[in-house]
């Protein structure tokens, strides 16, 4: 379930949830109109900063800010790497 | 009364109070003229930061700044997630 | 004398003094020309931050900066909620 | 010599020295050309911040920056209220 | 494998991975269209800041931000020198 | 050699060295073309900040940044008052 | 090898390496086209900040940022004075 990357310090790698492709009424949403998802699954977790252990774990579904993190491509997948402080909540 | 989300660190999830739909004189206020409410009910509370326990509790009615927090949609409801420092007072 | 609100942390609720409605010479000042008062009475006081007890008390008359605080309406009154650090002095 | 106001924390109330009304050659300086004085007498002193006792005392003549402090009017006098850190030196 | 430079404090010297010269379809990419690589190999590591030992080691493949670091030319090679905090993860 | 002013905290009073009035070739430099001197003699020294004793002493010749300090006129002389951190070196 | 100046705190005096006057092909580079060198030799070192001893020593060849330091002229030579934190590495 996790991936073979070790985030440094208080960083977390998140796989964003796929955006909805249809509206509730069944209308297909063109790519540019899809809102960037703000929900994802944690794939890798750093060791935290000194005296600040991490709270999230691999496998957690998390909510994060619209502009949180940096996009990275590793092992054929697209992920976001962000600091734990950018994560709002565990759902 | 609470919802099944765990805010991280010093974050709090607040359900904003519904804005008034009529003026005192009974005039219906169109949606765009309603002032964004600054009062709400706490729905979930994080564990706080190290050495800084949280003050607000689930169920408290709180006042917060006009631009505080980020809107999130979970379990079919619209909430604000904010830091406890964005909350001014418990009413 | 106090009101039933609990400010969080180092916040203070102040009731601004009414602005003068007439000049010394008796001329009535229109509403827009009245300078926003910078003097008020403390109505509620938070518990302070860890290791920083509060100095002002309910009932103190205080001076504060022209742009200090946020306006709130509670229990039918208009108040300012500000941090104690925004208060200059007790008169 | 002091006035009946208690500045909070590390604040100091200073009575600015009167600006010179004449040049050395006896020419009367119009009000707008007078340079704002940067020298004054301490009228009231706060209790300092935790672990930082105050250095200036009531009655000291001090030098301060051109834009230091906020003007306040109390007990019929015009004063500046500033932080001790805005005071450069005791003359 | 390392180079004969000693970065100061928490700095790290990274040799950026060569950018792809062809697209998957075999089209040669002109120089200006190549995206600056964000992956490289650590060549030298500082001693860290007091009480903050370094995590990355010489030889690690690391991911870093698009604008991280400063380009330097030493011993005939082009490297980036950056702070460890600019490194996102070890691959 | 010193003057009768007590700088507060980590402040230092410096008498700027007179700017050269002639070039090496003997040409008189008009006032506006003289570069503001960055070298001066320490005239008074504060007590330092808590746990940070002062390094410079009265009488030291020091180098400082082009825009360091504030000009003050006391006891008929023109001086600069600056923080010790604005002083680069003792010559 | 050193010069008779004592930098304060964590400052270092560096003598920039002379810029190359010719290209590899022997073409003389006009003055304005020479890139400001980013390599130099340490000439004097401060005592460091409390609890932060200095790492560089007089005689070290160092790399530093393009805009690091302030130019000073002392004892007939042109030097840069910078903080040790502006130095990237010892070559």
């Amino acid at each position: 379930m996790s991936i073979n990357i070790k985030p440094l310090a208080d960083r977390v790698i998140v796989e964003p949830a796929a955006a909805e492709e249809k509206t509730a009424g069944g209308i297909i949403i063109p790519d540019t109109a899809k809102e960037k998802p703000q929900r994802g699954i944690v794939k890798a977790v750093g060791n935290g900063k000194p005296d600040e252990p991490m709270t999230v774990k691999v496998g957690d579904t998390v909510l994060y800010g619209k502009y949180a993190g940096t996009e990275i491509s590793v092992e054929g997948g697209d992920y976001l790497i962000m600091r734990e402080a950018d994560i709002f909540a565990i759902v």
Side-chain angles (χ1 to χ4, degrees), chain A:
Chain A
M1 195 169 191
S2 76
I3 53 175
N4 194 21
I5 301 182
K6 187 64 191 169
L8 290 196
D10 58 339
R11 288 191 182 82
V12 173
I13 295 181
V14 174
E15 183 177 50
E20 293 295 318
E21 307 251 328
K22 290 189 191 179
T23 64
I27 298 167
I28 291 165
I29 309 171
D31 219 63
T32 53
K34 279 178 219 159
E35 209 183 41
K36 196 179 152 195
Q38 294 177 254
R39 178 187 287 252
I41 292 166
V42 174
K43 289 297 189 182
V45 177
N47 289 326
K49 290 203 268 193
D51 303 320
E52 292 186 36
M54 301 295 277
T55 303
V56 301
K57 297 182 310 298
V58 170
D60 282 349
T61 297
V62 292
L63 299 178
Y64 50 85
K66 209 178 269 189
Y67 305 106
T70 301
E71 292 174 18
I72 57 169
S73 297
V74 274
E75 301 185 8
D78 290 329
Y79 303 99
L80 285 171
I81 187 159
M82 63 185 72
R83 295 179 178 278
E84 191 181 76
D86 294 326
I87 296 179
F88 293 154
I90 301 170
V91 186

